Amino acid sequence: MKRNIFIVALEDKQKAMLETLRQSKELEIHGLLTVDTAVEAKKFSFNEVLESAREELASYPGTVDAIIAQWDFPTSVLVPILCKEYGIPSPSVTSLAANSECNT
């Protein structure tokens, strides 16, 4: 059975690269939100983007086995929230904030 991997703001080029992984036949890669919605929005509301991601995941008929961020904020914060809701291991939002403070 394939594992369903959701990647926030996945672009075609990244999806093509992921399909070259040795284990790619065991994975079903899905985009979660568009780049325009999650990364390049002219007007941004974190709560609206989070709710859109929740709706996409809830409407998916299969399992949600992993949620991955490939961009910085806001996807780096969306992923820990969504992973917690789906029981998927992930760094916490607090750990991301603590890491950001260490890097300044």
Side-chain angles (χ1 to χ4, degrees):
M1 182 174 186
K2 288 190 174 190
R3 294 180 53 129
N4 293 300
I5 312 300
F6 289 83
I7 302 177
V8 179
L10 178 65
E11 295 180 295
D12 292 338
K13 184 177 180 179
Q14 285 103 5
K15 186 171 184 177
M17 292 170 68
L18 289 166
E19 290 170 352
T20 68
L21 292 172
R22 203 173 314 140
Q23 299 87 357
S24 66
K25 292 182 182 179
E26 301 166 18
L27 307 174
E28 189 70 40
I29 306 295
H30 306 276
L32 177 62
L33 304 175
T34 65
V35 173
D36 288 340
T37 300
V39 180
E40 298 175 352
K42 302 285 186 227
K43 181 180 172 190
F44 182 82
S45 165
F46 183 83
N47 289 335
E48 288 177 13
V49 172
L50 178 60
E51 189 56 34
S52 293
R54 286 175 171 153
E55 289 172 6
E56 278 190 48
L57 292 168
S59 69
Y60 183 72
T63 61
V64 176
D65 300 305
I67 304 168
I68 300 171
Q70 65 169 355
W71 297 86
D72 290 332
F73 184 82
T75 64
S76 58
V77 178
L78 286 171
V79 168
I81 294 169
L82 296 168
C83 283
K84 184 176 181 182
E85 292 175 3
Y86 280 84
I88 299 169
S90 171
S92 68
V93 173
T94 305
S95 71
L96 294 172
N99 189 31
S100 296
E101 291 174 15
C102 292
N103 292 327
T104 57

